[in-house]
Amino acid sequence: MPTERAILCGDVPINRLPCVDDKYLWFHLWGQKENVKLEIADVREHLLRDVPSLIHDLLEIATYVYCADQAIPRGSDNAASFGTDWRRRLFFRIAVREPDHWNDSKIKNQLCETLGFLSEDEYNFEFCKLTQMQPEQKLIPYELPEIDEVMMFSGGIDSLGGAVQEAVIDERKVALVSHRPTQKMHKRLEQLIELLNERSHFKPHHISVTIFKSSILTKEYTQRSRSFLYAALGTTIARMIGLKRLRFYENGVISFNLPPSPQVVGARATRTTHPQVINGFSKIISAVSGTEFVVENPFIWKTKPEVLKIIENADCCELINNSTSCNHTWEMSNQTPHCGKCSQCIDRRFSILSAGLEKYDNAEGYGIDLLTGNREEALTRTMLAAYVDSATAVSKMTSNEFFIKYGEASRILRHFNESPDTVAAKLYDLYRRHAVEVTRVVDTAIKNYASSFREHNLPEHCLLTMVCDYSRRLSNSSEANTSSYQSITDGHKNVFIQQGKGWLVRFNGGKEFVIPPSIGAAYLHTLLSHPNQEFKVNDLVRLESKQPEMFILKRGFDVIDDSTVLACQAKIKELQVDLKDATDAECKGEPTLRSVAEINEEIRTYFEYLKRSKDIRYHTRKLHDDSDKVRKAFIAAIRRVKMDLAKFDINLSEHLKSPRLTCGRYPSYNPGQNIEWFT
């Protein structure tokens, strides 16, 4: 069951908390109970005037959300629990200067929707009037130079590339806005700024804002809401300068962040600069500032090695070693600023090697070497293996196979002011380029370490050993790549095996093809795997009712848990947005990846699933009470998957007709002679 918690922020009443056992945290930004620090003076001293009340509210709301994100643990690192106890229900009661404005349903809904997608948590807000005002702060005279652009500057490679593009290449007057979480991180950031100043025609203006909380409140390291805090900081600066735009610089592969494996799901797959989040920020800030405000990411269609080439072409490679990408800041030291284990370190080092700039990135600065470091933790091995396997698979995929495996990619298309076909082509090309960059690094390393392979000098759990020891990698990796499927299916005339979220199929030695995921395909897989065995249709449906991607159903039970209900409801909302977009596109005669009928059918499936599992009084409804409906739904699902198969192999579709495949109350599959399925 998801963690529920109330977060009280400032001088707010404690009555009527809508959470289990009335569990709550209480954050205070000033006074005797202060446990969160926001140095707003850092902003004021540069701008010579008070922050407007609504902008001040926005910054404090983002601070509270950021601190709560780290103070409330998500759950264990056990992959089996991802998507259940990792999702949280968070209720905020916040004291603000303009409560009527913030309690407007449009703004609150946008906040909840954007933050919910960003962190995979459920948010609810209630705003009260701030009565205990923060003490006045002394303003420090300071003349702010003319600024052309405001951008967020984290000190990583992508933001460094953005700063080089703005200040060195385009020679623009840019303000770099940073969050200052720890002293050791800030020192490296200042060193990087100094080096950047030496190469810029107009020295960038660096503004650092201090926000941190009491150390006893730190219980969770995943900071999924950090980009909301960054957006609030950047907005504060941009609006007071008079600009109507804020820029994040992050490469597209990280921004879209399609999960490479089932171990990276839900809240584990960060969406800090996802297009839907960036657009959500634009809407929230526009509503707060009273004028149209744009948040954008100019690097959305670039890979990280392509960002590194921008730095190289500007003759700024010496700055790379001073940039910091590691997410595990608590492990940071002067000698090893990068842990080498987290996804950011893995992505950074692959990109450095792909761009051929390793001499500018100290290999000793990583706690563990990317290629030959022995990874004793199973989770870090899985993450790295999934990263490489995913790239290998994408490098061999057609566009159609790519969108079948990464079904959520289709939802990205509506967040751009271009046709879906154009965006789809760009997205596929981006991931293909990234795949080539990753696989090229691995292939080169295998050649360079040939002697070490022959002499058995490589550690047991290093990347190169995992890649080349095929049998171990296949058994340990969470998601085999396309070439792995081809290898293990060689010699089998009839194949029906899961590939990503789709199904790899071959019949009677014919050509392999992939069909999209569906509950009918799951039913068929079970029947093909158990030839000549009769199933009770209720048992078969119960067994395979994991169905669409967000379902978390415990086998053998008729009742789904609360987190699954929430996931289904969230999925329905997403599909309803997809439906509106598809309807609008069809009315205009524009192409769509999915038809209105297909989306309607998926929405109906979710509603039926919820209805079948629980009635309107939230009491258990046993599956056997709906036997006739279950049988009809099963038959309809099998009919749909047979239609999918007929598009690629009409002979297979004919083979699966009665009496080979029987449906009804006791479905079974009789393959006949010389038919054996590899499943």
Side-chain angles (χ1 to χ4, degrees):
M1 181 175 180
T3 300
E4 288 189 337
R5 194 64 54 85
I7 302 97
L8 306 179
C9 307
D11 54 320
V12 296
I14 195 174
N15 60 308
R16 302 189 312 277
L17 295 179
C19 293
V20 175
D21 299 328
D22 286 343
K23 293 181 179 180
Y24 64 89
L25 293 175
W26 207 323
F27 292 145
H28 298 273
L29 276 166
W30 54 81
Q32 293 182 346
K33 298 180 180 179
E34 175 183 315
N35 57 1
V36 174
K37 192 172 185 64
L38 166 61
E39 290 286 356
I40 194 70
D42 286 12
V43 177
R44 288 169 130 183
E45 71 182 39
H46 290 298
L47 301 182
L48 295 178
R49 54 185 177 271
D50 287 342
V51 178
S53 59
L54 280 173
I55 298 295
H56 205 153
D57 283 344
L58 174 67
L59 190 53
E60 290 184 357
I61 291 168
T63 301
Y64 289 132
V65 169
Y66 171 71
C67 291
D69 193 8
Q70 295 179 81
I72 302 172
R74 289 188 179 277
S76 69
D77 268 351
N78 183 349
S81 68
F82 292 172
T84 54
D85 59 349
W86 268 69
R87 295 183 173 90
R88 304 165 296 186
R89 292 192 185 114
L90 306 178
F91 168 79
F92 288 84
R93 181 174 290 160
I94 305 177
V96 294
R97 294 156 188 79
E98 303 284 348
D100 291 341
H101 186 88
W102 289 104
N103 279 317
D104 178 85
S105 60
K106 184 177 180 180
I107 294 180
K108 282 210 295 189
N109 289 342
Q110 189 63 58
L111 266 176
C112 294
E113 180 182 334
T114 300
L115 291 175
F117 181 79
L118 173 63
S119 69
E120 289 274 342
D121 295 316
E122 180 185 347
Y123 286 83
N124 286 285
F125 290 94
E126 180 182 296
F127 298 100
C128 306
K129 181 66 177 179
L130 178 66
T131 57
Q132 298 178 7
M133 301 299 289
Q134 184 177 12
E136 288 297 320
Q137 302 181 43
K138 182 179 179 181
L139 302 184
I140 302 174
Y142 192 95
E143 183 178 353
L144 187 71
E146 181 182 350
I147 297 296
D148 298 323
E149 202 72 64
V150 174
M151 62 166 284
M152 301 311 303
F153 189 73
S154 66
I157 283 178
D158 290 328
S159 65
L160 173 60
V164 168
Q165 181 69 56
E166 295 279 359
V168 180
I169 298 175
D170 296 339
E171 297 186 352
R172 306 188 76 199
K173 301 172 183 176
V174 60
L176 307 178
V177 182
S178 300
H179 167 214
R180 180 177 179 173
T182 62
Q183 183 59 37
K184 58 185 177 182
M185 183 71 179
H186 183 69
K187 185 177 180 180
R188 286 182 61 84
L189 202 62
E190 290 293 340
Q191 292 172 344
L192 188 59
I193 295 291
E194 289 178 11
L195 293 172
L196 187 61
N197 285 342
E198 295 173 2
R199 290 161 173 77
S200 304
H201 184 71
F202 299 104
K203 292 184 178 180
H205 191 74
H206 184 217
I207 301 176
S208 176
V209 180
T210 301
I211 298 177
F212 60 88
K213 63 192 177 311
S214 171
S215 60
I216 63 173
L217 292 175
T218 302
K219 303 290 180 61
E220 175 62 42
Y221 70 88
T222 58
Q223 306 180 36
R224 293 294 178 253
S225 64
R226 183 169 55 180
S227 64
F228 179 47
L229 175 62
Y230 283 176
L233 293 175
T235 298
T236 302
I237 306 302
R239 289 303 299 135
M240 297 189 69
I241 291 173
L243 300 180
K244 298 181 179 180
R245 182 169 70 185
L246 172 65
R247 284 183 164 176
F248 284 79
Y249 277 90
E250 189 151 57
N251 75 82
V253 176
I254 293 297
S255 292
F256 297 124
N257 209 4
L258 302 177
S261 78
Q263 273 62 38
V264 187
V265 298
R268 298 291 294 195
T270 177
R271 295 164 166 173
T272 52
T273 53
H274 189 282
Q276 181 172 336
V277 171
I278 293 294
N279 290 346
F281 289 162
S282 296
K283 293 175 182 177
I284 293 169
I285 297 167
S286 296
V288 170
S289 60
T291 185
E292 185 176 355
F293 191 93
V294 176
V295 182
E296 64 181 18
N297 178 9
F299 282 174
I300 191 65
W301 297 117
K302 293 187 182 298
T303 65
K304 193 181 288 289
E306 290 166 352
V307 173
L308 284 164
K309 285 299 180 182
I310 292 175
I311 298 173
E312 181 183 25
N313 293 338
D315 196 25
C316 292
C317 289
E318 289 80 7
L319 279 66
I320 293 173
N321 200 48
N322 289 82
S323 64
T324 308
S325 305
C326 185
N327 192 43
H328 295 174
T329 55
W330 60 90
E331 297 185 28
M332 184 184 297
S333 67
N334 291 333
Q335 290 73 34
T336 55
H338 293 95
C339 71
K341 298 181 294 185
C342 69
S343 59
Q344 287 88 337
C345 285
I346 291 171
D347 188 62
R348 173 192 173 98
R349 192 59 179 165
F350 259 115
S351 301
I352 292 285
L353 296 176
S354 177
L357 300 177
E358 53 267 34
K359 68 178 181 180
Y360 299 104
D361 186 50
N362 182 16
E364 302 301 320
Y366 292 82
I368 182 169
D369 185 81
L370 174 69
L371 301 173
T372 61
N374 196 36
R375 298 175 185 268
E376 297 179 355
E377 298 177 17
L379 186 61
T380 62
R381 291 200 301 271
T382 299
M383 182 186 301
L384 183 57
Y387 186 95
V388 175
D389 283 349
S390 176
T392 303
V394 171
S395 69
K396 297 176 177 293
M397 285 181 185
T398 64
S399 177
N400 184 53
E401 290 170 337
F402 175 81
F403 281 96
I404 287 175
K405 178 172 182 178
Y406 298 107
E408 64 186 84
S410 61
R411 291 188 214 105
I412 293 171
L413 309 186
R414 65 172 178 267
H415 298 292
F416 292 88
N417 293 323
E418 298 179 274
S419 71
D421 284 347
T422 300
V423 178
K426 286 184 176 181
L427 185 63
Y428 172 63
D429 183 60
L430 172 74
Y431 271 82
R432 286 276 293 181
R433 299 198 312 273
H434 170 69
V436 170
E437 291 162 353
V438 172
T439 53
R440 184 171 57 219
V441 169
V442 176
D443 291 348
T444 301
I446 291 173
K447 294 177 183 177
N448 293 341
Y449 284 88
S451 297
S452 297
F453 282 117
R454 176 174 50 80
E455 297 168 2
H456 306 288
N457 287 336
L458 291 172
E460 180 183 8
H461 295 305
C462 75
L463 172 62
L464 294 182
T465 303
M466 288 191 292
V467 168
C468 292
D469 187 346
Y470 172 79
S471 60
R472 180 190 305 148
R473 182 166 65 89
L474 186 60
S475 62
N476 290 345
S477 176
S478 61
E479 183 177 15
N481 58 35
T482 300
S483 62
S484 301
Y485 277 108
Q486 291 173 341
S487 300
I488 64 178
T489 60
D490 283 348
H492 295 280
K493 295 178 63 177
N494 304 290
V495 176
F496 200 104
I497 190 169
Q498 193 158 21
Q499 179 179 15
K501 291 182 179 178
W503 296 89
L504 181 70
V505 184
R506 178 197 294 142
F507 179 64
N508 200 25
K511 185 178 179 181
E512 288 184 346
F513 56 90
V514 177
I515 61 172
S518 68
I519 189 61
Y523 294 153
L524 182 58
H525 177 261
T526 299
L527 293 171
L528 297 180
S529 301
H530 301 84
N532 299 310
Q533 178 177 334
E534 283 190 349
F535 288 83
K536 291 182 179 180
V537 69
N538 287 6
D539 292 340
L540 185 57
V541 169
R542 182 185 295 113
L543 182 68
E544 296 298 345
S545 284
K546 296 174 289 185
Q547 55 178 11
E549 62 188 42
M550 297 187 71
F551 284 0
I552 308 160
L553 183 66
K554 298 178 181 179
R555 288 188 177 186
F557 292 85
D558 297 319
V559 184
I560 57 176
D561 59 25
D562 290 341
S563 63
T564 307
V565 173
L566 292 173
C568 291
Q569 291 170 344
K571 179 72 173 181
I572 289 169
K573 289 181 180 179
E574 287 185 3
L575 289 169
Q576 287 171 338
V577 175
D578 291 346
L579 179 62
K580 181 179 182 302
D581 292 343
T583 302
D584 292 344
E586 287 190 2
C587 290
K588 297 176 183 177
E590 297 175 352
T592 60
L593 284 183
R594 301 178 66 198
S595 69
V596 169
E598 289 173 332
I599 299 172
N600 266 323
E601 176 63 18
E602 189 170 354
I603 291 173
R604 186 196 64 77
T605 301
Y606 274 94
F607 274 122
E608 285 295 321
Y609 180 76
L610 289 174
K611 181 180 178 182
R612 187 171 68 236
S613 301
K614 296 190 177 184
D615 67 15
I616 58 175
R617 294 183 300 279
Y618 219 60
H619 294 160
T620 302
R621 167 174 285 176
K622 295 297 183 182
L623 197 59
H624 59 70
D625 292 339
D626 289 326
S627 298
D628 195 49
K629 292 182 179 179
V630 170
R631 179 181 58 81
K632 291 179 179 178
F634 172 81
I635 293 172
I638 291 293
R639 183 171 61 249
R640 287 193 294 270
V641 75
K642 287 168 65 176
M643 291 172 62
D644 287 340
L645 294 170
K647 297 175 184 177
F648 298 93
D649 193 327
I650 190 65
N651 293 327
L652 174 57
S653 181
E654 290 293 322
H655 171 75
L656 294 175
K657 289 184 176 180
S658 181
R660 296 287 185 208
L661 182 66
T662 59
C663 296
R665 298 190 185 278
Y666 298 95
S668 66
Y669 168 68
N670 176 13
Q673 296 181 348
N674 302 322
I675 296 288
E676 184 175 339
W677 286 92
F678 179 74
T679 58

